[in-house]
């Protein structure tokens, strides 16, 4: 579609300096079983945070955050005051730290989900926390309760390390994209239910009640998550109906004309089944300017949704943030 000129420069800045060779190859099929295991381990860790943290809009209180080491809960209000859990995807450990100086951990390696669940409960107990959380996965097909999932799972440490490097590069571009919006916007965070890194912008207007129906997720959670109009983008390593790593972007509610809109870059397409625009990670990784291509996808899909839905873009957008430079008023 034809898009009016944006009110700000949306070209990537720090992210544009990332070289093509920095973006690792992460073919989903080669590490599918390890990815499935990591997804379930993230669910167990995330459910601990969910169980102890006061509810925040759109389930933002439950997510995990990318970090230099891997994925972190941030500070969870528990035990002596606060506990942080880290899925260390560099040294391949689970690390727990309490604010009173206690530390605990265990190795990430081939194990069952039941063993991981047990080890994490022991770790939380050692830190003086509360080792109680919901017992079964969400948003996965045919979920098996954690304690009953005793099948041995592989752990491909090299594949996990490459996924972590990709996750950090994606998170940096997402974070830069987030700076160009004055309205309500989510953190860059990982939803452990669907195992996707996401960043979401809000128009400020209420949305129609969501119909729900997300597998093994209470409709009340889904409806609260989509209480207001959004344009949301994210990154999947694969799974959930997509057998390759990719970026996505959707709008809720999707305005008329969104699905047939022409989107840049040309490697992107609209997936009717998913109801989202999809951009393969491989197209980004192998492009001369990966960060620039990804930023183009984020900006073009967002602006298409915003224009078609008549968002107040001139009062919602601003220039991309720059280090040490206050936003001009």
């Amino acid at each position: 579609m034809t898009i009016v000129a944006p009110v700000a420069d949306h070209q990537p800045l720090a992210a544009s300096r990332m070289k093509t060779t920095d973006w690792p190859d992460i073919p989903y099929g080669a590490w599918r079983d390890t990815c499935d295991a990591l997804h379930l381990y993230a669910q167990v860790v995330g459910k601990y945070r969910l169980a102890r943290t006061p509810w925040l809009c759109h389930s933002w209180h439950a997510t995990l955050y990318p970090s230099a080491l891997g994925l972190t809960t941030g500070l969870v209000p528990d035990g002596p005051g606060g506990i942080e859990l880290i899925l260390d995807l560099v040294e391949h450990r689970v690390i727990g730290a309490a604010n009173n100086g206690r530390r605990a951990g265990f190795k990430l390696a081939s194990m069952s989900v039941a063993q991981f669940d047990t080890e994490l409960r022991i770790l939380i107990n050692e830190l003086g926390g509360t080792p109680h959380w919901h017992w079964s996965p969400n948003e996965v097909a045919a979920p098996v309760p954690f304690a009953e999932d005793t099948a041995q799972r592989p752990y491909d440490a090299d594949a996990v390390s490459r996924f972590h490097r990709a996750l950090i590069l994606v998170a940096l571009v997402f974070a830069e994209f987030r700076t160009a919006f004055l309205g309500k916007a989510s953190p860059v965070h990982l939803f452990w239910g669907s195992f996707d890194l996401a960043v979401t912008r809000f128009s400020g207007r209420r949305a129609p009640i969501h119909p729900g129906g997300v597998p093994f997720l209470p409709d009340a959670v889904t409806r609260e998550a989509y209480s207001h109009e959004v344009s949301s983008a994210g990154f999947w390593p694969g799974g959930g109906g997509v057998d390759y790593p990719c970026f996505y972007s959707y709008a809720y509610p999707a305005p008329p004309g969104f699905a047939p809109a022409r989107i840049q870059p040309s490697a992107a397409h609209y997936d009717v089944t998913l109801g989202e625009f999809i951009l393969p990670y491989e197209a980004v990784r192998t492009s001369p300017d990966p960060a620039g291509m990804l930023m183009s996808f984020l900006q073009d899909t967002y602006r298409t949704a915003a224009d078609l839905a008549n968002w107040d873009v001139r009062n919602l957008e601003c220039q991309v943030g720059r280090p040490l430079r206050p936003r001009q008023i």
Side-chain angles (χ1 to χ4, degrees), residues 8 19 29 35 55 99 101 153 169 191 224 229 266 284 318 325:
K19 299 177 182 179
C35 185
W55 200 281
N99 67 289
R153 306 271 181 157
L169 293 171
F191 285 94
E224 193 278 334
E229 286 184 344
S266 59
V284 171
C318 63
R325 189 177 301 179

Side-chain angles (χ1 to χ4, degrees), residues 2-292:
T2 301
I3 298 177
V4 298
V7 299
D9 174 15
H10 293 280
Q11 293 302 310
L13 301 168
S16 67
R17 295 195 290 271
M18 294 185 286
K19 299 177 182 179
T20 301
T21 52
D22 290 333
W23 292 70
D25 188 16
I26 49 171
Y28 178 61
W31 77 299
R32 180 192 304 264
D33 292 340
T34 294
C35 185
D36 289 347
L38 187 63
H39 181 187
L40 291 170
Y41 302 159
Q43 290 226 10
V44 178
V45 170
K47 280 176 177 282
Y48 166 68
R49 184 182 185 211
L50 173 67
R52 307 303 305 169
T53 308
W55 200 281
L56 183 62
C57 59
H58 319 299
S59 296
W60 293 353
H61 63 296
T63 57
L64 304 179
Y65 310 106
S67 75
L69 292 181
L71 290 167
T72 176
T73 59
L75 196 63
V76 176
D78 191 23
I83 289 174
E84 180 181 6
L85 298 181
I86 299 172
L87 283 169
D88 182 342
L89 307 182
V90 178
E91 297 293 335
H92 308 289
R93 294 182 54 79
V94 177
I95 301 170
N99 67 289
N100 62 359
R102 288 188 182 180
R103 301 290 186 269
F106 62 90
K107 185 175 177 59
L108 271 175
S110 177
M111 65 177 71
S112 68
V113 175
Q115 181 182 348
F116 182 94
D117 184 70
T118 298
E119 293 276 5
L120 192 68
R121 292 178 190 276
I122 293 171
L123 181 153
I124 296 295
N125 193 61
E126 289 177 358
L127 296 176
T130 309
H132 304 301
W133 48 81
H134 184 256
W135 45 271
S136 186
N138 296 110
E139 300 183 63
V140 298
V144 177
F146 300 131
E148 299 174 18
D149 193 344
T150 57
Q152 193 77 0
R153 306 271 181 157
Y155 189 83
D156 183 338
D158 178 65
V160 170
S161 294
R162 285 186 282 110
F163 165 66
H164 175 238
R165 292 199 302 274
L167 194 70
I168 294 303
L169 293 171
V170 172
L172 290 172
V173 179
F174 280 13
E176 198 164 281
F177 171 70
R178 183 176 183 260
T179 66
F181 198 71
L182 292 174
K184 176 180 171 181
S186 77
V188 176
H189 49 186
L190 185 131
F191 285 94
W192 40 263
S194 45
F195 206 47
D196 59 317
L197 189 73
V199 62
T200 304
R201 293 176 171 185
F202 294 77
S203 73
R205 302 186 302 227
R206 292 298 298 262
I209 298 296
H210 196 283
V214 177
F216 302 99
L217 186 69
D219 287 347
V221 174
T222 306
R223 287 170 181 154
E224 193 278 334
Y226 291 102
S227 62
H228 289 70
E229 286 184 344
V230 301
S231 171
S232 189
F235 167 65
W236 273 318
V242 180
D243 289 330
Y244 53 90
C246 65
F247 303 96
Y248 67 79
S249 182
Y250 66 88
Y252 181 80
F258 184 64
R262 299 183 67 178
I263 295 295
Q264 294 298 322
S266 59
H269 69 277
Y270 188 82
D271 188 297
V272 176
T273 302
L274 296 174
E276 304 175 336
F277 283 101
I278 296 295
L279 174 64
Y281 171 84
E282 188 66 9
V284 171
R285 184 184 78 84
T286 57
S287 76
D289 181 12

